[in-house]
Amino acid sequence: MRIGKKGIVLLAALLAVTGCSRTGSGEGFAPTEDSLYITGEGTVTSAVIEDCSGDIYDETELREYVENLLADFNGGSGEDVPVSIRECEILDGTAKLVLDFRDADSYIKFTEEYPDEESQIRLEDLSVMDMEQAVSAGYMDGLKLVSSDKKSVSADSVRKKSRLKVARLDGSAVIRTDGAIRYVSEGVELTGKCEARVSSDTESYIIFK
């Protein structure tokens, strides 16, 4: 198997970023770029999409490589492992890898161990919590938010909405949620009912249901 420069990045770091294939709010998810999918339960799915039209790949060998790497990271086998493969394929010159992570901590630990310098996802930290947990941690104190209809609101007006979930991010990423996004912190761009683009070197928040 011949691997070009992009191929080396794909095999050595394809496993560090984001997206999803689960459905949420009645909408399916078909990632076309590196992206993260997060759920209210705190699980994370990452999707990596790479153009490999200029290189020769063997899908079986790619899957074996990824499986071996995940075996090392997971420290063994079993059902409740930190990360598992959802999709791994090469089709029409495009390589796609989708990984399921047990929680945000597992995702961050994985990206620290296997960094991808060419990824569109640049997260130093990620956590998903209930509104009550966010309030207890002080994350909602003085936070300025923008609602899904583009209105500025105070975090004080939403902190009692206990059914909402809060994603806290440090860095940049394309984020997809399994529920409708209700509020985002200033600087986060809403690009769809369940999708937002974060491009910041400071903490950002996405609040969804």
Side-chain angles (χ1 to χ4, degrees):
M1 177 173 63
R2 181 177 64 84
I3 304 175
K5 181 179 180 181
K6 292 287 286 184
I8 293 173
V9 173
L10 179 68
L11 290 176
L14 225 164
L15 322 130
V17 281
T18 87
C20 81
S21 58
R22 203 176 309 189
T23 59
S25 297
E27 298 180 355
F29 182 75
T32 57
E33 60 182 321
D34 296 350
S35 51
L36 282 179
Y37 178 77
I38 59 178
T39 72
E41 289 73 34
T43 63
V44 177
T45 302
S46 77
V48 178
I49 312 296
E50 279 285 354
D51 177 11
C52 59
S53 56
D55 298 298
I56 299 174
Y57 291 89
D58 183 290
E59 185 175 302
T60 300
E61 290 183 86
L62 175 58
R63 175 174 282 273
E64 289 177 352
Y65 176 90
V66 175
E67 288 175 344
N68 289 334
L69 189 148
L70 294 190
D72 290 339
F73 181 80
N74 289 328
S77 60
E79 294 184 1
D80 188 28
V81 293
V83 57
S84 59
I85 299 173
R86 178 177 292 201
E87 294 182 59
C88 181
E89 65 176 17
I90 298 173
L91 182 65
D92 297 330
T94 299
K96 179 181 181 181
L97 179 66
V98 180
L99 301 178
D100 286 326
F101 292 85
R102 182 170 55 199
D103 50 37
D105 287 344
S106 298
Y107 171 76
I108 292 298
K109 182 179 179 181
F110 188 83
T111 60
E112 289 174 346
E113 190 163 337
Y114 304 104
D116 184 351
E117 299 300 329
E118 293 193 7
S119 171
Q120 299 176 52
I121 308 301
R122 299 288 185 179
L123 289 182
E124 296 295 328
D125 196 14
L126 171 66
S127 55
V128 183
M129 67 202 81
D130 296 333
M131 176 61 73
E132 183 178 350
Q133 294 172 311
V135 171
S136 297
Y139 295 140
M140 305 300 289
D141 295 346
L143 185 62
K144 296 180 179 180
L145 300 172
V146 178
S147 65
S148 56
D149 56 359
K150 311 298 183 183
K151 296 180 180 179
S152 296
V153 299
S154 167
D156 290 338
S157 64
V158 301
R159 61 192 298 149
K160 293 183 179 180
K161 298 182 180 182
S162 59
R163 294 186 178 181
L164 296 180
K165 306 295 181 178
V166 180
R168 174 178 171 272
L169 309 92
D170 184 357
S172 59
V174 174
I175 300 294
R176 177 81 182 213
T177 60
D178 70 340
I181 297 174
R182 298 301 179 86
Y183 308 94
V184 296
S185 57
E186 293 181 335
V188 176
E189 178 188 4
L190 275 174
T191 55
K193 182 179 180 181
C194 303
E195 189 172 274
R197 187 177 296 272
V198 180
S199 55
S200 173
D201 56 2
T202 59
E203 291 180 3
S204 299
Y205 292 84
I206 296 174
I207 301 174
F208 61 103
K209 188 172 183 179

